[in-house]
């Protein structure tokens, strides 16, 4: 029964994300001769989180979902390593601006960031007893990678995304950086990053209005200064 429920949840999540991807690949021809991509970063990531474990704080389940989803997206856009020897390449280098023609290319760095972030949060739960120092060190390492991928997402959105997508990517990076600085106990920097993310999400929520801006309002509540 548990396996059936998990499979059902994954199917619902895949469907939801697929709908978002299809829905958001609406080309913006505001610039003559230039096609701009759109991706609802916060809406897609929050839907995936809630449907894949984070509703109950299960970071491991969400991390595994991100891994499976990454594999599917890579196959869909034919961005796999084939049978050759694996070569680690920055996504921005591998998917240069000439090849970023599909919003699923933007989904890749987002999923990488989400996977690293969820791994970091999973390790934080292990910070107790003798494993505390090791778990914290590994958690910080994973959160640093999450920031790295969030920065790559912003760079790719700057090259190929429309204005709203770039704004969301900038807010996502600020939020991810704030989580890292918080774990590193750099309180001033964490507060500054949270405030920056808050300002960007607030601007997006106001621009979208009450209906579409609800998901941004929810994020604003999460990072509202106490």
């Amino acid at each position: 029964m548990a396996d059936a429920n998990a499979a059902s949840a994954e199917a619902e999540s895949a469907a939801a994300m697929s709908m978002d991807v299809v829905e958001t690949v609406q080309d913006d021809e505001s610039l003559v001769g230039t096609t701009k991509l759109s991706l609802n970063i916060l809406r897609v990531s929050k839907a995936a989180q809630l449907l894949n474990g984070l509703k109950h704080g299960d970071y491991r389940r969400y991390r595994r979902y991100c891994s499976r989803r990454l594999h599917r997206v890579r196959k869909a856009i034919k961005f796999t390593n084939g049978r050759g020897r694996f070569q680690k390449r920055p996504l921005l280098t591998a998917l240069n601006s000439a090849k970023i023609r599909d919003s699923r290319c933007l989904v890749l760095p987002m999923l990488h960031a989400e996977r690293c972030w969820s791994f970091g949060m999973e390790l934080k739960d292990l910070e107790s007893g003798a494993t505390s120092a090791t778990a914290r060190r590994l958690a910080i390492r994973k959160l640093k990678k999450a920031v790295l991928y969030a920065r790559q997402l912003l760079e790719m959105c700057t090259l190929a995304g429309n204005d709203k997508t770039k704004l969301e990517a900038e807010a996502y990076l600020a939020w991810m950086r704030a989580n890292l600085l918080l774990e590193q106990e750099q309180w001033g920097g964490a507060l500054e990053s949270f405030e920056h993310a808050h300002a960007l999400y607030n601007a997006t929520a106001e621009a979208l209005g009450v209906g579409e801006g609800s998901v941004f309002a929810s994020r604003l509540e999460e990072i509202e200064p106490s």
Side-chain angles (χ1 to χ4, degrees):
M1 181 65 70
D3 290 340
N5 291 337
S8 175
E10 184 180 346
E12 290 177 348
S13 178
M17 289 192 71
S18 296
M19 287 175 61
D20 275 338
V21 168
V22 171
E23 180 184 33
T24 55
V25 185
Q26 301 296 326
D27 298 336
D28 180 358
E29 298 289 354
S30 58
L31 297 177
V32 178
T34 303
T35 298
K36 294 296 182 179
L37 300 177
S38 175
L39 177 66
N40 296 319
I41 297 169
L42 182 59
R43 182 154 64 91
V44 170
S45 61
K46 289 295 288 186
Q49 289 172 9
L50 293 175
L51 284 168
N52 292 278
L54 291 201
K55 191 173 183 179
H56 307 290
D58 191 344
Y59 291 103
R60 177 174 295 184
R61 179 183 163 193
Y62 181 57
R63 173 168 62 87
R64 289 174 174 172
Y65 162 79
C66 288
S67 295
R68 293 192 300 271
R69 180 69 184 174
L70 268 168
H71 179 67
R72 291 196 296 270
V73 173
R74 281 177 173 269
K75 285 185 66 176
I77 64 174
K78 296 180 173 56
F79 185 62
T80 57
N81 204 54
R83 295 187 178 182
R85 184 177 179 180
F86 174 75
Q87 292 182 340
K88 188 174 181 180
R89 298 170 295 170
L91 287 173
L92 188 60
T93 301
L95 293 170
N96 56 61
S97 57
K99 295 180 180 178
I100 305 176
R101 303 177 186 273
D102 187 327
S103 67
R104 288 174 297 184
C105 294
L106 304 180
V107 171
L108 279 180
M110 184 198 75
L111 284 172
H112 274 292
E114 288 288 297
R115 182 172 66 173
C116 291
W117 169 78
S118 60
F119 202 170
M121 299 305 290
E122 179 186 342
L123 289 165
K124 279 188 65 176
D125 290 343
L126 300 177
E127 292 180 18
S128 61
T131 63
S132 178
T134 301
R136 183 170 183 273
R137 185 167 59 253
L138 291 175
I140 289 174
R141 184 183 302 173
K142 291 300 177 180
L143 291 175
K144 283 182 177 179
K145 290 188 69 174
V147 170
L148 174 65
Y149 282 117
R151 184 174 292 112
Q152 288 187 7
L153 172 61
L154 175 58
E155 291 172 351
M156 290 171 68
C157 289
T158 300
L159 283 173
N162 62 17
D163 289 342
K164 174 183 170 294
T165 303
K166 285 185 283 188
L167 189 66
E168 271 203 72
E170 186 179 352
Y172 183 74
L173 172 58
W175 179 82
M176 200 65 79
R177 185 188 295 119
N179 281 282
L180 168 63
L181 294 173
L182 196 63
E183 184 63 19
Q184 292 176 321
E185 299 182 354
Q186 298 184 32
W187 315 121
L191 178 60
E192 184 179 342
S193 290
F194 273 129
E195 289 176 342
H196 183 45
H198 187 280
L200 292 170
Y201 281 127
N202 188 55
T204 307
E206 289 179 353
L208 291 175
V210 177
E212 288 189 66
S214 59
V215 67
F216 295 96
S218 175
R219 172 53 59 88
L220 287 169
E221 290 179 4
E222 294 175 12
I223 59 179
E224 190 73 39
S226 58

